[in-house]
Amino acid sequence: MGARHQRPAPSRRTFLIGSAAAVAMIGGRVFASRSGDAGGEGGKDGSDGPTTHAESRESVMQIVAHPDDDLFFMNPDTDHSIRSGRPMVSVYVTSGEADGVNAPGHETPGHPMPPTNRARYAEARQNGIRAAYAQMATGDKTSPWIRTSISTGDGGTAELDTLRAQPQISLVWMQMREAREMYKNVPHSLRGLWNGETTALEPILTSNTPAKPVSYTKDQLVAALVTLMRQFRPTHVRTLDPSPAREGAKHQIVDHQDHVFSARFAQAALRKYAVATDRPSFTVQTYLGYNTSYLPHALDKAVADAKADTVKTYAWMDPNDNYCNSPAGCGDRKVSDRPYGNNWAQSIRYSRANSTSWLQMGKDGSLWAMGVLDQKLAVWHKTRGEEGFWSGPKLVAADGPLDTGVTSALLRDGRIAVFGIRTHLGKGAEYRRDVVTAVQQRPGGEFGPFRSLGTPTRSGTTSLSDLSAPAPAVDGSGQLTVFVRGGDLRLYAIEQTLSGQWSDWIDLDGSGLHGDPVATTDSSGCVHVVVATPESVLTWAQPKPGAAMPKRPTPSGLPASTVAGLSVCADGDGIRVFFRKPDSGAVQTAVLDGSARPVVVDLGGVGGYGAVGLCGQAIAGRGPNGSLGTASVGSGRTRWATAELLIAGAPAGAGGVLVALGLDGKLYWAKASEVNSAAGPWKRATTESVRQ
């Protein structure tokens, strides 16, 4: 979070798995699985003992603009990675010097407003981050750090901090000048550097840093990030959203410009890092920033309070306690009067990575899983039958980096079509996204090249090219329709006729839509699409196969959800929707069949976040500690089982199988029939990445 003298408007206030302790050992490889009833029997976390384990070798890199962006917008994922005992590094692109005044915005008794000192304020923010990370990792905010420097190329260095007690935890401070304005165009900023308004951006050195940062050109800053990636070798990279949507009554971009452009520099660096051959495969997750202020809370109170407690450590709530022994101060006093932010501590939300339709069963009974690795389409294949084996992944480029969150549909002729969002890394209006698709050349065959379906014009030109993940569906006549939510928070569709021709983009109206739309086909062959708003869920239902979708939505009668993470499947004459309850994260479900008021069923268990993958009566999703859990949904109490496996995106299910993509870039799978078995269901689908 950057300069604080402007704040976004306050928001409307408006799963599931029992937690289990992470394996906390340096370089640890084992994730224990646990199972239990939703009611919490069998242990304080609803678990009744270990079942199986799965190896994982993930290494996480977070790239953010300012100190505290990770604490507000990426936590609790940050905390989960730290507690897993696996390597994690957070890279802070700017110094976060703001106006240089380390105070909560008003004088307090005995503490008058301090003078401006940008170097010391930036140092205080570093001290606060070190304390917050030490607290998450060891429980002791004073646990010491080793402060050195690390080369970023072209003669420059960044500060490298390593936690002595857990040296797999690192912080890197690049110390570039921040914009010091949320929205106003400032030439000497990351935005100005990206768009060519300045040829180089200078550093703002923090006091007492061992590093010697240099001024960077655009290409040099990209190269510096690539240098860090090559040194830390991440398998999973987290950034903020590079193209946030418009929010609020003024319909304006509600995010700090440094958030947006630090993410774009990360995108550009990842594109170059992806061509290296001596690195592990990687996934990417992007997070909403200030936009989350306007949405219902995604976390339950206990998780939100724990997240805020970490922010309180960073905020140096008691300025009389100079535990860090630094004249600059032990934290960021600007957030000391609001450690929950503007509803930021109560939520975590991913952008374009909640798809649960990336697993398809072909007509021959084999399975195809489709994700994004190295910014390319990754395809895994499992031969048919109980003892079928997995192969892959094979990588297919899309002539530009693919966003996370691909979706898929089975066409009438038995081929599988996959859909995604491709980013064009230009400056100004040349930075844009478009919807792309690739189709198997024959049923069960290789995927052909990607082709572009373009962008809804109104959305793409007025809203920083924000697009949701596509939601495809095939109706009973064989007609394929693809839906996206635009940056103007409306729904758009594009249709393919049986002859293979694509229509223009069609505006289907709606307002205040958030997250990714989800679509399915009911038992009569009619397509349904549902999208969340902060207050409810809107639906569009095709009147009959082959007919056009309605140009206006219908209210569903459902209550508010956490917005991100709807999933849907056919259910008799209607469709069944799964969603998460605000301020709880518990999974709820209801059937939409035209009834005036659908009946909402709470599946029990403690809360979690993100989308839920479906496979018949089995579902899978994150619990409150971020780990993967599964449950059978049927008569009686819902029983959940957890595997201490951290995942990218959302799980998916088809053909009696559930799949998830680990933070190590590996595919994991489970038989739906074994989600509650004592043997533990999750296994790695493949051990080696096959590149092409």
Side-chain angles (χ1 to χ4, degrees):
M1 188 174 66
R4 304 321 197 280
H5 54 279
Q6 289 178 296
R7 299 183 184 179
S11 76
R12 292 178 291 269
R13 280 193 67 119
T14 16
F15 177 52
L16 103 113
I17 342 171
S19 61
V23 179
M25 62 185 215
I26 297 174
R29 296 287 182 261
V30 177
F31 283 129
S33 297
R34 303 173 74 88
S35 64
D37 294 313
E41 297 177 4
K44 65 181 181 179
D45 60 358
S47 302
D48 58 13
T51 54
T52 65
H53 68 273
E55 290 190 351
S56 180
R57 293 179 175 84
E58 73 259 20
S59 175
V60 174
M61 173 177 279
Q62 301 183 155
I63 302 175
V64 295
H66 316 112
D68 79 6
D69 291 345
D70 45 352
L71 302 185
F72 275 125
F73 307 121
M74 295 178 177
N75 238 351
D77 279 358
T78 299
D79 182 67
H80 300 155
S81 288
I82 290 173
R83 292 177 185 273
S84 76
R86 287 156 180 79
M88 195 189 78
V89 58
S90 290
V91 179
Y92 304 89
V93 178
T94 78
S95 285
E97 73 279 2
D99 61 1
V101 178
N102 193 8
H106 55 82
E107 293 189 9
T108 57
H111 295 282
M113 295 289 285
T116 293
N117 188 321
R118 289 191 166 96
R120 283 202 169 190
Y121 175 54
E123 171 75 8
R125 297 186 76 176
Q126 285 191 2
N127 289 335
I129 288 292
R130 283 187 282 267
Y133 272 67
Q135 177 177 299
M136 286 187 284
T138 70
D140 179 9
K141 66 183 178 182
T142 66
S143 190
W145 293 79
I146 302 169
R147 298 179 64 183
T148 57
S149 62
I150 186 172
S151 173
T152 56
D154 290 315
T157 62
E159 179 173 337
L160 171 64
D161 298 343
T162 304
L163 186 59
R164 183 176 297 166
Q166 295 197 26
Q168 79 278 12
I169 306 300
S170 304
L171 309 172
V172 173
W173 308 92
M174 299 189 73
Q175 303 182 56
M176 305 309 298
R177 185 191 194 275
E178 74 152 86
R180 305 176 189 173
E181 294 280 352
M182 279 182 60
Y183 311 121
K184 182 180 178 181
N185 190 30
V186 179
H188 291 288
S189 65
L190 292 176
R191 174 163 66 179
L193 188 65
W194 180 272
N195 289 330
E197 297 174 22
T198 186
T199 57
L201 187 62
E202 70 275 15
I204 300 294
L205 293 178
T206 64
S207 58
N208 198 35
T209 182
K212 298 186 182 300
V214 297
S215 294
Y216 290 109
T217 65
K218 180 179 181 178
D219 290 343
Q220 287 171 333
L221 181 53
V222 171
L225 289 171
V226 174
T227 296
L228 294 174
M229 292 172 185
R230 292 181 68 90
Q231 292 184 71
F232 287 96
R233 297 171 57 81
T235 61
H236 183 70
V237 179
R238 297 172 178 150
T239 77
L240 292 173
D241 192 346
S243 60
R246 297 178 179 269
E247 304 281 358
K250 295 184 179 180
H251 201 58
Q252 65 182 9
I253 302 300
V254 184
D255 208 357
H256 198 292
Q257 60 180 297
D258 285 345
H259 296 175
V260 172
F261 286 91
S262 66
R264 294 189 183 185
F265 273 104
Q267 279 184 307
L270 286 165
R271 186 170 189 177
K272 291 184 177 295
Y273 178 62
V275 304
T277 57
D278 57 342
R279 55 154 182 82
S281 290
F282 64 87
T283 56
V284 179
Q285 191 87 70
T286 58
Y287 294 74
L288 293 189
Y290 290 163
N291 302 55
T292 201
S293 299
Y294 291 85
L295 303 175
H297 297 161
L299 302 175
D300 67 28
K301 187 177 186 302
V303 176
D305 288 347
K307 180 174 172 178
D309 283 344
T310 303
V311 177
K312 290 176 182 177
T313 297
Y314 163 78
W316 190 31
M317 301 297 286
D318 182 4
N320 294 312
D321 182 8
N322 189 22
Y323 62 86
C324 65
N325 195 30
S326 169
C330 297
D332 183 359
R333 295 283 297 153
K334 285 187 184 295
V335 299
S336 61
D337 60 345
R338 51 191 184 102
Y340 286 80
N342 288 333
N343 293 309
W344 303 328
Q346 295 93 334
S347 292
I348 182 173
R349 286 189 177 85
Y350 309 131
S351 53
R352 289 171 297 278
N354 280 294
S355 164
T356 61
S357 71
W358 52 278
L359 181 69
Q360 289 288 339
M361 184 171 68
K363 287 193 172 182
D364 64 352
S366 66
L367 293 173
W368 298 83
M370 293 143 288
V372 176
L373 286 179
D374 309 338
Q375 299 187 316
K376 302 178 180 69
L377 173 67
V379 182
W380 293 264
H381 179 236
K382 179 183 178 295
T383 55
R384 63 181 300 177
E386 281 276 318
E387 304 305 319
F389 62 89
W390 288 92
S391 61
K394 293 185 177 180
L395 302 185
V396 182
D399 192 26
L402 275 179
D403 290 349
T404 53
V406 294
T407 55
S408 64
L410 181 67
L411 304 181
R412 187 169 66 170
D413 63 5
R415 294 179 300 157
I416 294 172
V418 65
F419 299 86
I421 301 295
R422 177 179 60 184
T423 299
H424 300 266
L425 299 175
K427 62 183 181 180
E430 295 172 355
Y431 179 96
R432 59 185 178 84
R433 285 189 166 93
D434 60 342
V435 180
V436 293
T437 182
V439 184
Q440 285 180 323
Q441 296 174 327
R442 58 177 177 80
E446 301 290 333
F447 281 84
F450 276 91
R451 62 165 294 179
S452 174
L453 302 182
T455 305
T457 303
R458 177 180 172 187
S459 175
T461 58
T462 63
S463 302
L464 283 180
S465 199
D466 175 61
L467 290 172
S468 71
V474 178
D475 71 10
S477 74
Q479 178 176 286
L480 169 64
T481 305
V482 181
F483 305 91
V484 297
R485 179 214 24 94
D488 53 0
L489 309 185
R490 296 167 66 90
L491 186 68
Y492 296 86
I494 189 170
E495 299 172 346
Q496 186 182 41
T497 65
L498 297 183
S499 64
Q501 298 299 309
W502 288 96
S503 70
D504 294 330
W505 283 97
I506 305 163
D507 187 345
L508 296 183
D509 196 53
S511 63
L513 307 180
H514 284 80
D516 297 332
V518 290
T520 192
T521 305
D522 66 20
S523 59
S524 65
C526 294
V527 168
H528 298 250
V529 59
V530 298
V531 196
T533 73
E535 295 81 20
S536 183
V537 171
L538 297 179
T539 73
W540 288 254
Q542 190 181 32
K544 62 179 181 179
M549 295 296 296
K551 296 294 183 66
R552 297 287 185 273
T554 299
S556 67
L558 293 176
S561 70
T562 58
V563 174
L566 295 179
S567 51
V568 64
C569 61
D571 191 301
D573 294 332
I575 60 171
R576 179 172 291 278
V577 183
F578 291 82
F579 52 95
R580 292 196 187 259
K581 182 180 180 181
D583 291 300
S584 163
V587 173
Q588 297 184 313
T589 185
V591 173
L592 303 181
D593 57 5
S595 302
R597 191 168 185 83
V599 176
V600 175
V601 177
D602 195 309
L603 296 183
V606 292
Y609 54 94
V612 180
L614 312 174
C615 185
Q617 294 297 305
I619 61 176
R622 287 179 181 83
N625 69 342
S627 61
L628 180 61
T630 53
S632 293
V633 182
S635 59
R637 290 185 301 176
T638 302
R639 181 177 174 84
W640 299 101
T642 63
E644 289 294 323
L645 177 66
L646 301 180
I647 63 172
V657 167
L658 292 160
V659 292
L661 192 57
L663 297 191
D664 56 0
K666 306 299 184 184
L667 185 72
Y668 292 82
W669 71 288
K671 296 178 182 179
S673 60
E674 297 179 357
V675 297
N676 294 129
S677 71
W682 291 97
K683 301 172 283 290
R684 183 180 292 172
T686 183
T687 58
E688 298 294 332
S689 175
V690 181
R691 301 182 188 277
Q692 68 175 31

